[in-house]
Amino acid sequence: MRLTTLLSFSLILAPSLAAVVDLTAANRRPPVTGLPDWSQVGYEKGINPIPDDSLVARTVTAAQLASSYGVIPNDGQDDTAGLQRAIAENPGSANAFTLIQLPAGTINLSFTIFISSNYLILRGAGNDPQTGTVLSFIPDANTKYDTLTPNGASWDLDGMDFNWNYTEGTRQVTGSASSGWLWPGRSIFRVGSKSIASKFTTPASLAPPNRVDYFYGTVNYHWRNDTKVKGYMSDQTKEIAGLAGTRKIYIDAQNSSWTAPPGTDIWVAAPVCSADYDAWQVQDPTFYQNQYMFQDWFTATGSGTDAQGTYVLLDHDLAFDVYSNSLGGGSVQMQDETYFAKVMPIDEPVHHVGIENLYMTQPMPMLSVDDATANYGNMAPESAMHGIVFRYARDSWVRNIRTFMTGSHPIATEVARYIQIQDNYFDGSWNKGSGGNGYLRGSRVWDSLYYNNTLRNLRHFTFQWSAMRNVATMQNMTNDMNLHGGYEGYNLLELNYVSVPYSHRAGSCLSNCGGEGGSQEGGTWAPVYWSTGNKASKWSGASGPQNVFYRNYMIKAFTPGSSQTDYTPYFSRDGSLSSKIWQFGWDRLTSLGTRYQHLSNNGGSTLLADWQGHEQDSFMSDPNVGVNGQFTDSHTSLFLRDVTNATGITTFSAIQGRVFCAGSVIPKTVGYYLGTSASRSCEPWSVSSIDTSTYSHVIYAYATLATDGTVSLTTAQQDQVKSIVALKSRSVNVKIFVGVGGWGLGADANGLATIATSNAGRTKFGTTAAALLTSVGADGIDLEWTPCVGTKCISASQFSTIASALKSGIGAKLLSLSTPRDFWFLSGVNTITSNLASISEFISLITHQKPTSTAQDANDPSIIQSTLTKAISAGFPAAKLLFGVPFYSRPLGSSNLQSSCVASSTLGQGTFPYYSVAGFLNGTGPDSGLGYSDLTTVTTTQLYSMVLSDGSTMFSDNPLSVAERTRISDDLCMGGISVFSIDQDTQAGSLIKAIQSIQAQ
């Protein structure tokens, strides 16, 4: 075995640096409108990270394992019983975990170990088989499956049974248990209760050694109930006991044993109905079988009785209507039996269990690892044991383990919530064929996280059997991502690297073969598998609603001997599809969709019968339906805010997007106010009209800067600033600044250019600015850079020196800066950014269109992004950069058209304020006589484009375009918006309200 292990290890790569990404709630995106909420997946909903040793209160050392429990590495003896006893005898408690530290070397195991103790960490000495902990599992005779299906292909769930017949007092008790009670099967570890329900205590005592484990964990099985009423039924007086989208479910009031105080874990299971099979257009009548297809895990938040009956309140919405029994919706009875919906308290959920840093394998000396590679059959069905099973478990994890050649699934879930599987390497299985073997299997799992796992030589990665609200991200696999059926829904699969060879197919098989339908089939598995109702009802049912695929790198060889190509139409290496959100099993009647839609090639009248042969159909395009690809997102992850510390797929040009920053900083909304607007002829804007509740900063424009460095305001201007400062009485948090600038709007910049080379002038600038701010009661000063005044040009270092002198002079008062695009392309700008960042509260990026420009580049997203990129690469933090948004427009080229509201000799000459544009577009206002034609909206920016009466073109901002700019500022992780100017908005505040609508999201 050691030789086999070493050979395999040489092919194993270390887990990628994706593991350094913060997975906690602090780095998770808020729910995206229209998409499921994945913000609370994984261990403790992401509120806390997986525990480190600071939470360990007691350690069972390797030496204690040897001395007290007989667990001794490399001695060739069976260590199973000792390790089981160590686990059972050493539970932890809340925030006081027990750590069982396994020794380096090989530990021999022969039967399933139940981990039923809470707050317990089982940790190896490392996952390198040469130096770490190796768990070598060879199932004994009582653990191997002793009854196979008639064809010998797999374990026979029904045939491998146990019957009992005994006398209890005067009553004769008979019963039977099938090995299906073990589902999903025996394993090396089972994280779940080992307790036996009182109803089965005697049968368990009568069971032989190879049947007694049927009864382990029955304390959590719905058939454990001893009342004469069928156990844990929903309210049978109603057709529907709980409606999808609500958080109330009615239970059978006859069941007096039912209790669920707040905090109780609740399992809800609704039976499939014949109407469901009808809706999926299932053609084979033998597929109409009773089963609990619709399941979910809840936490009770309350209970009570109303006019409708006895109910339980749940912690999240029901994802399906809970029909009280299998006759709901006009259904007929199937298999001569009626199934009743279950609402069951989970009595002993195992929680806070971690398995870490070890290597697991199941040696099969008579079999060849080479024969198992790309062999999708069962080589040893009697030994198809799993690695780790979670059954009725929550808030647990598996981290940094390696598996090599497990009997079947390396990890399997079966009723589990808040599980976290991360940073693991799963390689190979002896059984990957008939009966469903060899998966990384996410079945009946909810709100869980699969992160940074590597999968090799497995059959599938699956979500199946009501698996909902899970996230699988940054995994690397050579198998498909398989939606395996049974109403799995609302899952996110993103940023996974999926490279699937042609040999990954059911037809690659040496023995005990089986396709997805349980028989040999052709074709080859594509990177995505979706289960149709007609085919998947053989083992479960159709795949469910709104399973989301996003930014997965997917390549596949579809023919023998061919190279791997892009998995079109859902992935392209040119990056053209990277922002698409693919919602499978979802309609596209709206951009986001609203309801379930089974895949179909003809609009939904005839449903897709089999995914095979249709893997590359464009189900997002008419006449096909079932995939919604109409919604896009610019960010790298729909789940995490920032994955920039990750390596691998997140850096690929075909995948990479932006960091999600919304909410990580409180966005500033800075507004300049032109003092001259109070006395202008068109729609004057008095100081009292400024709504300080909508702005974080108001900058009064402008003070005058003399060539000797003196900065001043006229008496009238000082009175205006004082009036603005007085508005702080109704908005105490707003900050009032005095601006020095306006160069691009016609102000004289000679003073700034002169003091650039005058130390005395710069000093005077600082001292006079301090005195001015004190006299008017303002909070700070804003300074705008200008490139050249005649032959005088201000370099980056000179501007930094001016800003430093100004900050030194004003002391505790605040400083902000305003820079056009050109500033960030100056020589040496990277040498002064750290200084500017340290002395300024923010810098406004002004990329407004220049006079006489003939290009529509004013605030084009590519221009602002390139400017931001330059600033960031120079070392300035994005969170201190504000997106400058003009509340005015300027005709392109040398147009002589002039708004009647802006005199040719004043600031803003040659521009059209937005209130003027809004007026003449409506045929009203001071410029209503201005002719225009060809009014259109630019798709990428939402700007209005119009041809004016002199033939020139003008692009104008409007509520839609400034909202788009605000979104972009969020996308680019900027610190907010800087508008020029407050007074150029409409009196109703059309533009600022549009900005607020986005910032409020």
Side-chain angles (χ1 to χ4, degrees), residues 47-244:
I47 296 170
N48 295 307
I50 290 175
D52 58 21
D53 286 355
S54 66
L55 294 180
V56 172
R58 177 173 51 165
T59 300
V60 179
T61 66
Q64 290 171 320
L65 283 175
S67 62
S68 299
Y69 298 100
V71 178
I72 300 172
N74 304 322
D75 65 351
Q77 301 300 305
D78 191 344
D79 300 298
T80 317
L83 184 55
Q84 174 70 88
R85 192 161 56 88
I87 289 170
E89 291 178 359
N90 293 282
S93 59
N95 295 319
F97 282 79
T98 291
L99 169 63
I100 295 181
Q101 180 61 61
L102 299 173
T106 298
I107 295 173
N108 300 299
L109 303 176
S110 62
F111 58 84
T112 299
I113 292 177
F114 277 74
I115 302 180
S116 301
S117 299
N118 300 325
Y119 297 102
L120 184 137
I121 302 171
L122 182 69
R123 181 185 296 164
N127 63 21
D128 182 339
Q130 299 180 30
T131 59
T133 299
V134 175
L135 301 183
S136 178
F137 180 66
I138 300 177
D140 61 22
N142 290 325
T143 302
K144 290 182 180 179
Y145 301 121
D146 55 70
T147 306
L148 302 179
T149 54
N151 63 2
S154 61
W155 153 41
D156 189 340
L157 277 72
D158 295 322
M160 190 173 146
D161 60 0
F162 169 63
N163 302 293
W164 59 87
N165 187 338
Y166 63 90
T167 301
E168 189 175 76
T170 60
R171 185 169 65 99
Q172 195 70 20
V173 180
T174 61
S176 65
S178 75
S179 62
W181 289 25
L182 293 170
W183 190 256
R186 289 170 172 150
S187 54
I188 302 175
F189 293 108
R190 177 171 286 217
V191 181
S193 176
K194 196 179 182 182
S195 297
I196 299 171
S198 58
K199 180 178 181 178
F200 301 117
T201 302
T202 300
S205 69
L206 299 173
N210 64 351
R211 297 292 187 268
V212 69
D213 58 350
Y214 292 13
F215 300 98
Y216 295 159
T218 50
V219 68
N220 286 327
Y221 292 2
H222 66 85
W223 56 86
R224 73 183 188 267
N225 192 284
D226 286 316
T227 63
K228 295 183 183 295
V229 181
K230 232 173 184 3
Y232 300 111
M233 291 191 302
S234 66
D235 187 343
Q236 295 300 306
T237 68
K238 297 175 175 60
E239 182 179 29
I240 299 178
L243 289 169

Side-chain angles (χ1 to χ4, degrees), residues 711-725:
V711 61
S712 63
L713 292 167
T714 67
T715 300
Q717 287 178 316
Q718 290 186 48
D719 290 341
Q720 281 186 311
V721 176
K722 291 176 181 178
S723 297
I724 298 172
V725 171

Side-chain angles (χ1 to χ4, degrees), residues 226 228-229 237 256 276 303 328 475 600 700 746 858 869 939-940 985:
D226 286 316
K228 295 183 183 295
V229 181
T237 68
S256 59
D276 295 310
S303 59
Q475 302 194 113
S600 169
Y700 181 85
T869 300
T939 303
T940 56
D985 200 353

Side-chain angles (χ1 to χ4, degrees), residues 960 962-972 998 1001:
L960 290 177
V962 299
E964 180 62 20
R965 303 202 188 311
T966 308
R967 288 190 192 93
I968 293 172
S969 74
D970 286 345
D971 284 350
L972 298 177
I998 302 303
Q1001 292 178 359

